[in-house]
Amino acid sequence: MNALTHKHILLGVTGGIAAYKAPELVRRLRDAGADVRVVLTPAAAAFVTPLTLQAVSGRPVHQELLSAEAESGMGHIELARWADLILVAPATADFMARLAHGFADDLLAACCRAARAPIAIAPAMNVGMWQNAATQRNLRQLVDDGVRVFGPGSGSQACGEVGEGRMLEPLELVAACAGQFGGGALAGRRVVVSAGPTFEDLDPVRFIGNRSSGRMGYAVAQAAREAGADVTLVSGPVALPDPPGIAVQRVRSALDMRAAVLAAVADADVYIGTAAVADYRPAAPATQKIKKDRDAFAIELVRNPDILAEVAGLARRPFTVGFAAETDDVLAYARRKLDDKRLDLIAANAVGAGLGFETDDNALTLLWPGGQRELPRASKAALARELIAVIAERLDARG
Ligand code: PMT
C-alpha cells in the first residue's frame, strides 16, 4: 500500500504562475491514493479556476473564510481537522510572509493557524524574490515553527530569469508528501553529506581554495531530506543559506571537515562526499600576514587525509558514495577511485563547458561494482533526486 493511501491532503493554492500545475498535482496525489480538498486564495483564482480543481479533486473547492454558506458546510476549523497534511503549492513570497507572521485573514491562512496536522510549503517565485532578505528571514521563521519546505528547484523561470525559485514538479511533490508519512525512499535512514570547497590557510588573510560553490552537495542533502532521511550536511565555506530541515555544520579546512564527517558518520547509514576537499595544505601556515619583500618564494604543501577513503575503511562503514570531478578520462579515473577506495558508488562528473563547478546544471555517470547509469544534463536539484533514488535502490538491494 502507498504511504498516501486514504491520507487527507488539504492543498492550498496561492496566487503565482505555478498555480497552473495545481490540477496536475491534485491528479497525481489522487493517483497515489490520497483524498484531496483544495483551498484557493483569491489571487490563485486568477490563475486557475475553481471548476477545474473541483473536477479533478471530485470535491467542492473552498475559497471563502467569512460566509454563512462556507461556515455552515466545511469551515476553516473542520477543514483543518480533516487534514492529515496541509500542502501549500505554489506558496508565494506573500503567503510565506503571512504564514510566518501569524496572519489568519483568509481561509487558507486560517486553516494553517487552526491545524494540528503538519504544514508543508512548495515555494514558487522569481529568483530575486526568493533570495530577498525578507523572504529568507520568513523561511527561517517557518522552519523554526516546524513548517516543512519542499524545494524550490532551480532552472528557467516564467519571468525569463534563471535560478532558484521554481516549484517542484507534481511527482516530486507527491514523493515529498509520501516522505511525511514514512514512505520516502530513505525514511528512517541517517545520511551525512559533505559539500563545498575547503580553504587551506597560508596566513591570517590568504588561503588555497577551489571553485566549488556547494550547489551540488546542498541539492543532494535536500533530496535526501525530501526522501525522508535525517540529514547532516558538513559544509565548507560557501555563500548558500542553510537548507531547511537539515542539520548543517560549517567547517573551513580539510582537517575540520574530516573531524566533523568522522563524528557524524558514526551512526550514519549513508555518506555522500560531494565536497571538493583540498588534497594538500600548507605545511606551516604563517601566523602573521606574509610580506611581499621577496620576488619569489616556495610554499611547502603536505598531503591532507582522504576523508572518503577513511569513511569507506571504517569497521562499521556506512553506504559510501564518492564524487569524481575530472577534466579527462572521466570514467576511467572514476572507476579507479571506486575500486581503490572500495566505494559502494561513485558519481563522475566532467568539469568544464558549463558543468561541474559553480554551475546550476550538471551531468553525472553513476558507477558501482558491476553497474553503471547515465544521468544526462539537468539541474543539480533534479540530478540529486535521481542520485538519491539510485542510492536508496542499491541500499535496499544490499539489505
Ligand atoms: O560545488 P559545486 O560548484 O556545485 O560543484 C560540484 C562539484 C564539481 C564540486 C561536485 O560535483 C564534485 O565533483 N565533487 C567532488 C570533487 C572532487 O574533489 O573530486 P576528487 O576527484 O578530487 O575527489 C574524489 C572524492 O574523494 C570526492 O568524493 C571527495 O569528496 C573525496 N575526497 C577527496 C580528497 C580528500 N582529501 N578527501 C576526500 O574525501
Side-chain angles (χ1 to χ4, degrees):
M1 192 156 77
N2 192 300
L4 287 176
T5 305
H6 304 317
K7 288 289 183 292
H8 291 176
I9 309 292
L10 186 64
L11 175 66
V13 183
T14 69
I17 180 64
Y20 83 89
K21 294 184 180 172
E24 174 70 6
L25 176 57
V26 172
R27 285 193 50 220
R28 297 299 185 172
L29 285 166
R30 292 191 71 196
D31 288 348
D35 191 355
V36 184
R37 285 181 180 273
V38 181
V39 174
L40 203 58
T41 65
F47 291 94
V48 59
T49 71
L51 200 58
T52 309
L53 290 163
Q54 179 175 315
V56 289
S57 67
R59 301 271 201 177
V61 169
H62 307 270
Q63 291 179 274
E64 299 287 329
L65 174 61
L66 296 176
S67 79
E69 193 189 341
E71 288 295 312
S72 64
M74 223 182 182
H76 65 286
I77 303 293
E78 284 79 10
L79 281 170
R81 278 193 197 130
W82 176 85
D84 294 315
L85 173 72
I86 298 183
L87 169 64
V88 183
T92 59
D94 178 71
F95 184 77
M96 285 174 62
R98 296 193 312 111
L99 190 60
H101 288 86
F103 281 53
D105 57 348
D106 68 17
L107 180 60
L108 181 57
C111 287
C112 290
R113 289 280 82 81
R116 292 206 173 85
I119 300 172
I121 59 170
M125 66 198 73
N126 158 272
V127 56
M129 292 176 81
W130 173 249
Q131 288 169 349
N132 176 271
T135 308
Q136 290 298 316
R137 196 166 55 237
N138 292 331
L139 176 69
R140 283 192 295 278
Q141 182 62 58
L142 291 170
V143 171
D144 286 350
D145 292 347
V147 172
R148 279 76 158 164
V149 183
F150 300 158
S154 74
S156 58
Q157 302 194 315
C159 56
E161 289 190 59
V162 176
E164 264 188 310
R166 280 171 66 102
M167 188 174 86
L168 296 188
E169 294 302 324
L171 277 179
E172 294 172 323
L173 289 174
V174 172
C177 289
Q180 300 306 304
F181 297 103
L186 288 180
R189 305 279 196 182
R190 284 215 56 235
V191 174
V192 178
V193 180
S194 72
T198 62
F199 287 177
E200 310 300 325
D201 289 337
L202 286 163
D203 71 10
V205 298
R206 305 180 183 94
F207 59 86
I208 300 173
N210 64 64
R211 299 169 69 153
S212 170
S213 63
R215 279 178 235 176
M216 188 74 241
Y218 276 55
V220 169
Q222 255 174 304
R225 177 76 195 95
E226 282 165 23
D230 177 356
V231 183
T232 299
L233 174 62
V234 179
S235 172
V238 296
L240 302 174
D242 287 1
I246 290 174
V248 182
Q249 292 184 34
R250 303 253 174 193
V251 297
R252 182 171 174 82
S253 67
L255 293 182
D256 298 340
M257 185 171 275
R258 172 181 178 272
V261 166
L262 289 180
V265 296
D267 58 351
D269 301 292
V270 180
Y271 172 65
I272 309 171
T274 71
V277 185
D279 291 316
Y280 294 90
R281 67 179 184 280
T287 52
Q288 292 183 322
K289 186 179 170 192
I290 300 169
K291 298 286 177 286
K292 51 175 183 283
D293 50 8
R294 288 164 287 178
D295 286 340
F297 66 100
I299 299 166
E300 190 191 350
L301 299 177
V302 292
R303 193 71 187 260
N304 269 327
D306 189 317
I307 304 167
L308 185 65
E310 271 192 74
V311 172
L314 290 172
R316 187 210 159 276
R317 64 179 247 166
F319 186 91
T320 309
V321 180
F323 266 66
E326 305 289 351
T327 51
D328 52 283
D329 278 343
V330 180
L331 293 192
Y333 282 121
R335 180 72 65 189
R336 192 181 305 165
K337 280 179 192 165
L338 177 78
D339 295 338
D340 289 352
K341 300 192 191 190
R342 297 193 312 108
L343 305 178
D344 294 298
L345 192 146
I346 195 159
N349 44 189
V351 298
L355 298 174
F357 289 82
E358 294 179 300
T359 57
D360 281 329
D361 285 0
N362 207 359
L364 299 173
T365 304
L366 308 186
L367 305 170
W368 59 88
Q372 177 168 336
R373 189 172 307 174
E374 293 296 330
L375 304 183
R377 181 178 186 139
S379 71
K380 284 179 176 169
L383 289 171
R385 288 189 195 102
E386 293 193 59
L387 170 66
I388 289 297
V390 173
I391 290 173
E393 248 172 62
R394 305 232 35 89
L395 199 55
D396 288 346
R398 201 174 72 165

